[in-house]
Amino acid sequence: DAVRICNENELFNGTSNTTFTPDMKMTRAMLAQVLANADGYNKAEYTGSSFKDVDANAWYASAVEWASKTGVTSGTGNGKFSPDTLISREQLATMLQRYAQYKGMDITTEAPIDSFVDANDVSEWAEKGVKWAVANGVIKGSESNGILYLKPANNAMRSECAQMLSNFLYIDPVYE
């Protein structure tokens, strides 16, 4: 359902005319493009590049520039965005929280994450974003043998990104 919802709302392009490739891992550039699509950005308004590792002619350049100008991303340090780097689940949560802030939503609500056995694996810089995502139903965790995991450092797959975006933008009544 999440993939269908994201497809119907033109957030994602497929990997071909007939495939989505749900298990493909997301890159930072892909996520910037998806969030820019969610915002309905005007590609022509975002030219050039604020990051030294983003070619202004790359397919994702305008989306990365949009993400930079709106505060959705500040890059990875040293003037870089790292567009081809795979995005972790905690980075995804943090960028979604920043997107919510950009949209004027309340980002102060946080939930404890102690019920997840890997809560201590959440990076300090990502803790607020992950707690916000849990509090707002964006992340519900994944269960294995009755144990609930956040998997914060795992690379986010396209299907996981679609689910989190669907939870955030279309299903959770907090944001409707």
Side-chain angles (χ1 to χ4, degrees):
D1 284 343
V3 170
R4 180 186 47 76
I5 288 168
C6 289
N7 184 47
E8 288 172 356
N9 288 282
E10 300 179 357
L11 302 186
F12 280 83
N13 290 326
T15 54
S16 79
N17 289 336
T18 58
T19 57
F20 181 77
T21 318
D23 295 333
M24 175 186 266
K25 293 181 172 116
M26 291 282 292
T27 65
R28 294 175 51 79
M30 288 177 184
L31 181 61
Q33 186 65 62
V34 167
L35 292 176
N37 292 347
D39 195 46
Y41 86 121
N42 180 350
K43 184 176 182 173
E45 291 179 19
Y46 298 94
T47 59
S49 178
S50 297
F51 299 103
K52 60 186 173 185
D53 62 345
V54 174
D55 183 316
N57 296 314
W59 64 266
Y60 51 80
S62 63
V64 170
E65 193 63 12
W66 167 87
S68 175
K69 299 293 187 210
T70 58
V72 171
T73 188
S74 57
T76 56
N78 298 320
K80 293 184 177 182
F81 177 72
S82 305
D84 297 322
T85 299
L86 298 176
I87 193 157
S88 69
R89 291 169 49 89
E90 67 184 4
Q91 288 173 331
L92 175 55
T94 300
M95 286 180 73
L96 287 174
Q97 182 195 35
R98 289 178 182 167
Y99 179 77
Q101 182 176 23
Y102 156 70
K103 296 301 279 182
M105 298 172 181
D106 179 9
I107 61 162
T108 60
T109 305
E110 294 181 3
I113 56 175
D114 302 356
S115 61
F116 299 94
V117 297
D118 56 351
N120 289 335
D121 294 342
V122 175
S123 299
E124 187 177 329
W125 59 264
E127 197 169 302
K128 285 191 172 293
V130 171
K131 286 180 176 181
W132 167 86
V134 169
N136 290 286
V138 175
I139 294 177
K140 298 179 181 175
S142 82
E143 189 176 329
S144 178
N145 297 323
I147 300 172
L148 202 53
Y149 295 89
L150 284 168
K151 300 180 181 180
N154 283 24
N155 296 320
M157 293 182 291
R158 287 170 53 90
S159 58
E160 292 172 322
C161 184
Q163 185 64 61
M164 290 171 72
L165 280 164
S166 180
N167 292 348
F168 172 55
L169 296 172
Y170 303 107
I171 295 173
D172 190 343
V174 172
Y175 297 109
E176 290 182 336

